Amino acid sequence: SVFGSMTAGNAEALLSSPGTDDVKAVPRNLWTLALYLTIMALGICYAMLGPTLLDLTERLQCSATMASLLFSARAAGYLLGSTLGGPMVDRSSNPAMLLLWGTVGSALGALCVPFLHSLSLAYLSQSLQGISMGLLDTGGNVLMLTVWRGSKHVNGAVHGFHFLFGLGAFIAPLCVSLVLRCGGDDAVQAWWVPVATYVPACLCLFL
């Protein structure tokens, strides 16, 4: 299990042996898969709010001006999560647990969107999701560098991490378009896509 493998002692062992490519303390492939799935889902969430904002405005029965503040609510949470993410990972005895909580928090934030009918709850949901996303973004970068430290593939692993964030952001509007073309009359249902992407990421952490 990833939870059992990434203890404080194992993390220290990983950092203390920068010349080895085969570090058994941390299952690199499993960590990388979990981080890649998580950051792609994060990219989808990040870009999903814009294309679904008009439908959210109708659902929340508010003006476009008030609905647009959802971006500010999420950005404020993202700033907080990004600020706290790095230090939390550095000080944690089990970074996998932080990654799991961030993944679950972001997934729940996305899951709530199709069921929201209150503007106040929407602000709260997006703020909490922003905190989780910020934690995943900053903490994910730290963990990726830690897991691949000492490997000649570290640059490729980190580049792949950022590429998948961009890929997620790229496909988000396409997912909304696909939902509408397949007979859906509510673009908000496209929020199920990032939820479905977060599920295997969570499962990887338990393998």
Side-chain angles (χ1 to χ4, degrees):
S1 148
V2 173
F3 289 111
S5 63
M6 185 56 121
T7 61
N10 287 334
E12 184 178 352
L14 175 63
L15 293 174
S16 65
S17 42
T20 58
D21 261 0
D22 183 20
V23 180
K24 305 210 184 266
V26 178
R28 280 179 171 167
N29 292 335
L30 189 59
W31 265 99
T32 303
L33 178 60
L35 287 167
Y36 277 0
L37 289 172
T38 298
I39 200 65
M40 186 170 71
L42 192 152
I44 297 173
C45 284
Y46 190 82
M48 187 69 74
L49 187 55
T52 59
L53 189 62
L54 290 178
D55 285 50
L56 276 172
T57 301
E58 295 180 6
R59 181 182 288 254
L60 298 174
Q61 298 181 346
C62 64
S63 66
T65 301
M66 296 303 294
S68 65
L69 291 178
L70 290 170
F71 289 100
S72 299
R74 187 177 64 179
Y78 205 111
L79 176 62
L80 180 60
S82 298
T83 303
L84 299 177
M88 288 177 67
V89 170
D90 288 340
R91 297 175 184 176
S92 174
S93 61
N94 192 343
M97 184 63 71
L98 288 177
L99 181 64
L100 177 67
W101 283 116
T103 302
V104 171
S106 187
L108 288 177
L111 180 64
C112 287
V113 175
F115 302 100
L116 290 173
H117 293 281
S118 166
L119 185 59
S120 298
L121 289 179
Y123 288 149
L124 178 61
S125 171
Q126 288 301 300
S127 296
L128 294 177
Q129 186 187 51
I131 293 174
S132 299
M133 291 169 69
L135 174 63
L136 289 175
D137 192 359
T138 305
N141 275 284
V142 173
L143 288 174
M144 184 65 75
L145 289 169
T146 301
V147 169
W148 286 94
R149 182 173 180 177
S151 169
K152 63 182 180 181
H153 303 297
V154 60
N155 289 336
V158 175
H159 291 162
F161 184 76
H162 292 285
F163 168 79
L164 285 171
F165 176 86
L167 179 63
F170 173 76
I171 68 175
L174 302 180
C175 294
V176 175
S177 176
L178 184 62
V179 167
L180 295 176
R181 287 185 180 184
C182 290
D185 57 356
D186 187 359
V188 177
Q189 298 305 318
W191 279 90
W192 288 103
V193 175
V195 174
T197 311
Y198 275 123
V199 170
C202 290
L203 291 177
C204 284
L205 295 174
F206 285 103
L207 294 178

